[in-house]
Amino acid sequence: MSDVAPPRARMPPSRAWTLPPRAWALLLSLALLAGCASLPSLEGRSESQAIASAVGTPIHEALAPGLAAHPGLSGFYSLSDGEDAFAARIAMIDAASRALDVQYYIWNDDVTGRLMFDALERAADRGVAVRLLLDDNNTRGLDALLATLDAHPRIEVRLFNPFRQRTLRLLNYVFDFTRINRRMHNKTLTADGAATIVGGRNVGDEYFDAGGDLGFVDLDVVAVGPVVAQVAASFDAYWRSDSAYPVERLLPAPDAAQRERLERAVAAVRDEPAARHYLDKIRDGRVMRDLVAKELPFEWAAASLVVDDPAKALGRARPERMLPSRLERAIGEPPQHEFALVSPYFVPGREGTAMLAGMAGSGVRIRVLTNALESTDVAAVHSGYARRRRALLRSGIELWELKRSASGIRIGPRGSGRSRRGRPDVAATVPEPVAADGEGGRGGLGIGSGSGAGSGSGSGVAGRSDASLHAKAFEIDRERIVIGSFNFDPRSALHNTELGLVIESPAWALRLSRSFDQQIPVNAYRVRIDAHGRLEWTERRADGSEVLYHREPNASIGRKLLVWLLGLLPIERLL
C-alpha cells in the first residue's frame, strides 16, 4: 500500500464568489446607498405643546355640565362599531376650534384615510393648529401627500422612527434592523385638549366597516375629563422625542402641481358614490345624533393612562418606564379571582405562559379570546401562539378563537349604560341573550351584533363577510378594565411603543366578563385537549348544534403548513 495520499479533488469555487461583475456592482451600490443615507439633524426643530382644555370652545362647553357633575372623574364612551368610530373622529375634528393632536401607527391611503386627511385640512383652513405624528413603517406611497399637508401653515407633520432609505425600504431592514424593528403603535386623536379617542384602531377602511372582504373587530373609547391631560402629555413626549422627525426635513417640498393633484384626488374621493353612501350612513348614526344633541352617554370613572417612554423606540427606555412595569403599578395587586383577556395577537411566550399558569394554579379563572388560524391576518403570530396552546390548556386556562364568519360581531358597550344626565341608556337596557341567529343584544361591554341606526351592519361601503379580531382589552376581578393599543405578545412588551387606559369601572369589567358566557361562545371556537392529548375545537352552530374539529378549523392546508414551519423558527421574541 502506498503511503502517498491520493490527490484531493478540487472544490468548485463558491457561487457567491463567482457573481458576474454587474451583480457585484449592484450589490455594492445598494450597500453604499443604504449606508450613505442618514437621518437629518433635529437641531433647531420647532417646539410646541398641547393646549389645556380651553374654556369657551364648543367641545368644552358641551362637556362642562357632565364634568361639573362628576368632579375628579373621567367620562368614557365605547366605540365598538366601526362606523361609529369613524363618525366620532370626524365629529371631533369638525368641532375642534383650537388644536388637534393626532397620532397613529397606520394611516391608509383609502376612502376613510383620504376623508380624514381632508377633515384635518379643513380644520386647519379655519385656523385649527394640527399636529400629525405617524409611524413611518406604513407610510409607503404617502410621501407626496404628507409633504403637501405639511406645507399648510397650520399643519405640522412628523414621522416617527423614519426610514433612511425611502425608495428601497427593504434595505433599511438589512442595514438598520434593530432600530427599524421598533415601531410606535400608539393611537390617539385629541381635540382642543378636551376630548380624546384612544384604542386599537388605525385609520383605514377595514377598521371602520367601510368595505373590503375582511373587516377588523376593534375597540376605541372617547374619553373626556382629567385623563385627557395625560393623553396630551403623552403626545407631547412623543412629539418632542428623538425619534420624531419633521417631514420638511425628510421629504422634498411639494410644488404647485403636486398640491393641485392632491386636491383633485381628495375631491374625487368625496364625490365617489361609495364614499357619499358611507358618509350618509354615519351622519344618520347614533353617535352622530348623540353628539349633535349633546347627549352622548358616558361611563364616569377614575382612570389613568399607561404609556411607554418614547425612548423605547431607540432601545433607551429603562424597564420601569416601559408599559409592562407601568401597567403593573397602575393595576396594583394581580388578579385574585378572574382575568378575561381579548388579544388578537396573543403570544404569551415561555414567561407569559408560566405567569398565566401560575395564576390559574392559584385559583384565578382565566379566559382568553384571540384569532383562529382562519381569521388571523398574521400567520407568523399564530405560530407563536400555537406552540404555547397545550401548556395553557393543561394549566386550566380557557381558550377561545374567533371565527372568520363572525362578521357582525362588536366588542364594547353601546355607550356607557347610563346617560350623561343619569338616565339609563335605552340600548343598555336590552338584555344580552344568546340568540339562535348569532345576534346578541346591544347592551353591555360584550360581543354582540347590534342592529338599528348607528350600530352598523358590517356591510360598510362595499360589504364584507369575514372578520378578524383587532381589539385589545382585558378585565380584572370584575373591578377594572384596560383598553389600549397593546397586545399580549413580545412585540408589544419589548419592541413597539404602546399605551392603554386603566378604567376603574366594575360595570364595564362585568360586561366584558359576561361576554365570555353569552356572546363569545356563538362567535368563537372553544379549544380543549381531548382524552388522548389531542387538540379539539368545538363550534356552536346557529341551530344550537355543535361541531367538533380535530384540526385547525376552516384553514387551508397551505396555511397550516406555513404555521407549522414558522413554529420551528426561533422568532418568538420578534412576534
Side-chain angles (χ1 to χ4, degrees):
M1 178 179 288
S2 171
D3 292 333
V4 179
R8 298 178 64 181
R10 295 186 62 185
M11 298 297 293
S14 171
R15 292 184 180 181
W17 297 102
T18 58
L19 289 174
R22 290 184 178 179
W24 272 112
L26 177 60
L27 288 175
L28 182 60
S29 298
L30 290 176
L32 289 173
L33 188 63
C36 292
S38 60
L39 293 174
S41 169
L42 292 178
E43 185 177 356
R45 178 183 57 178
S46 64
E47 298 299 337
S48 58
Q49 67 180 43
I51 66 168
S53 182
V55 177
T57 63
I59 295 178
H60 181 275
E61 294 303 308
L63 298 173
L67 293 170
H70 302 88
L73 300 180
S74 295
F76 300 94
Y77 182 88
S78 170
L79 299 171
S80 58
D81 175 85
E83 291 173 4
D84 283 353
F86 185 78
R89 285 164 170 81
I90 294 297
M92 281 178 55
I93 294 172
D94 287 347
S97 62
R98 290 193 56 189
L100 286 162
D101 289 337
V102 185
Q103 178 182 24
Y104 280 98
Y105 173 60
I106 294 175
W107 194 305
N108 289 338
D109 188 16
D110 54 16
V111 172
T112 53
R114 285 290 179 106
L115 289 173
M116 279 189 62
F117 277 137
D118 181 49
L120 292 178
E121 188 171 35
R122 287 188 284 104
D125 287 343
R126 64 176 186 267
V128 177
V130 177
R131 297 190 295 176
L132 175 61
L133 178 61
L134 297 180
D135 184 89
D136 198 30
N137 193 49
N138 297 283
T139 59
R140 179 185 294 275
L142 288 177
D143 281 4
L145 190 151
L146 295 175
T148 303
L149 282 173
D150 187 67
H152 193 291
R154 300 292 293 173
I155 300 177
E156 189 175 359
V157 182
R158 291 185 181 179
L159 295 180
F160 193 89
N161 213 7
F163 285 69
R164 295 177 179 176
Q165 173 49 246
R166 305 200 65 75
T167 304
L168 301 173
R169 290 196 168 206
L170 183 61
L171 294 179
N172 294 274
Y173 289 97
V174 176
F175 296 98
D176 196 13
F177 177 79
T178 300
R179 181 181 68 87
I180 291 299
N181 186 49
R182 299 177 181 275
R183 307 313 318 175
M184 181 192 75
H185 199 234
N186 314 37
K187 296 114 176 176
T188 68
L189 189 157
T190 305
D192 288 346
T196 189
I197 297 177
V198 175
R201 280 187 180 87
N202 295 295
V203 176
D205 291 353
E206 62 267 37
Y207 299 95
F208 298 127
D209 290 347
D213 295 329
L214 181 68
F216 285 120
V217 178
D218 222 323
L219 178 62
D220 300 312
V221 292
V222 177
V224 301
V227 78
V228 179
Q230 298 177 40
V231 176
S234 168
F235 182 92
D236 277 349
Y238 278 79
W239 185 256
R240 299 170 184 167
S241 73
D242 290 340
S243 295
Y245 286 76
V247 156
E248 63 184 16
R249 301 190 183 189
L250 296 167
L251 307 177
D255 55 25
Q258 188 171 310
R259 289 195 294 270
E260 185 178 345
R261 285 196 300 271
L262 174 62
E263 291 174 1
R264 287 200 304 268
V266 173
V269 169
R270 285 199 304 265
D271 292 338
E272 287 180 2
R276 290 202 303 269
H277 173 67
Y278 183 71
L279 290 173
D280 287 343
K281 288 182 71 175
I282 66 170
R283 287 191 191 100
D284 293 338
R286 168 183 173 165
V287 164
M288 192 63 78
R289 293 200 311 270
D290 285 349
L291 283 169
V292 171
K294 300 181 181 180
E295 292 186 355
L296 192 67
F298 287 108
E299 172 74 7
W300 294 95
S304 61
L305 179 76
V306 289
V307 60
D308 275 309
D309 184 335
K312 181 181 180 182
L314 295 174
R316 300 174 184 168
R318 298 192 302 273
E320 66 270 17
R321 295 181 63 83
M322 293 167 64
L323 186 136
S325 295
R326 287 177 164 174
L327 186 58
E328 185 177 355
R329 291 195 298 272
I331 291 174
E333 64 179 19
Q336 302 298 307
H337 309 289
E338 179 178 303
F339 180 64
L341 170 69
V342 177
S343 179
Y345 311 120
F346 178 59
V347 186
R350 182 181 290 106
E351 293 180 2
T353 300
M355 180 193 72
L356 292 172
M359 288 167 50
S362 66
V364 178
R365 185 184 186 187
I366 301 177
R367 294 178 286 181
V368 177
L369 173 67
T370 190
N371 275 310
L373 178 55
E374 66 175 82
S375 60
T376 186
D377 63 320
V378 185
V381 169
H382 193 82
S383 72
Y385 155 66
R387 70 189 301 179
R388 305 294 175 187
R389 198 158 36 191
R390 278 186 169 82
L392 292 166
L393 290 169
R394 289 192 182 105
S395 69
I397 294 169
E398 299 177 30
L399 296 181
W400 297 86
E401 297 178 2
L402 186 76
K403 296 188 291 187
R404 190 178 177 91
S405 60
S407 60
I409 197 169
R410 295 288 179 262
I411 292 180
R414 301 301 302 163
S416 68
R418 292 190 297 273
S419 76
R420 204 175 52 145
R421 296 173 181 169
R423 300 192 309 267
D425 179 22
V426 174
T429 65
V430 180
E432 296 180 282
V434 177
D437 61 358
E439 291 189 356
R442 289 173 294 172
L445 200 155
I447 297 186
S449 295
S451 59
S455 68
S457 63
S459 59
V461 171
R464 65 172 174 87
S465 58
D466 297 327
S468 180
L469 183 67
H470 195 259
K472 308 100 166 45
F474 63 86
E475 66 88 11
I476 296 175
D477 292 337
R478 301 189 178 188
E479 294 178 353
R480 60 182 63 90
I481 186 169
V482 182
I483 299 171
S485 69
F486 55 90
N487 299 289
F488 202 98
D489 63 9
R491 174 153 294 280
S492 288
L494 303 174
H495 306 298
N496 290 351
T497 68
E498 309 283 356
L499 86 172
L501 290 170
V502 181
I503 305 171
E504 304 291 335
S505 170
W508 277 23
L510 177 62
R511 289 164 190 163
L512 180 58
S513 173
R514 285 181 173 173
S515 70
F516 278 85
D517 300 320
Q518 300 171 337
Q519 304 301 331
I520 289 175
V522 299
N523 289 294
Y525 304 107
R526 174 75 185 270
V527 190
R528 294 186 175 94
I529 297 179
D530 67 14
H532 305 287
R534 299 174 303 181
L535 292 179
E536 62 180 22
W537 289 257
T538 303
E539 177 187 10
R540 184 189 298 180
R541 292 287 178 86
D543 60 3
S545 63
E546 292 187 345
V547 179
L548 192 64
Y549 302 87
H550 291 288
R551 291 182 175 83
E552 304 263 13
N554 299 316
S556 67
I557 294 177
R559 197 166 175 84
K560 294 175 184 176
L561 178 60
L562 175 61
V563 167
W564 178 77
L565 290 173
L566 290 170
L568 301 177
L569 301 177
I571 59 174
E572 188 174 57
R573 287 178 66 84
L574 297 175
L575 300 176

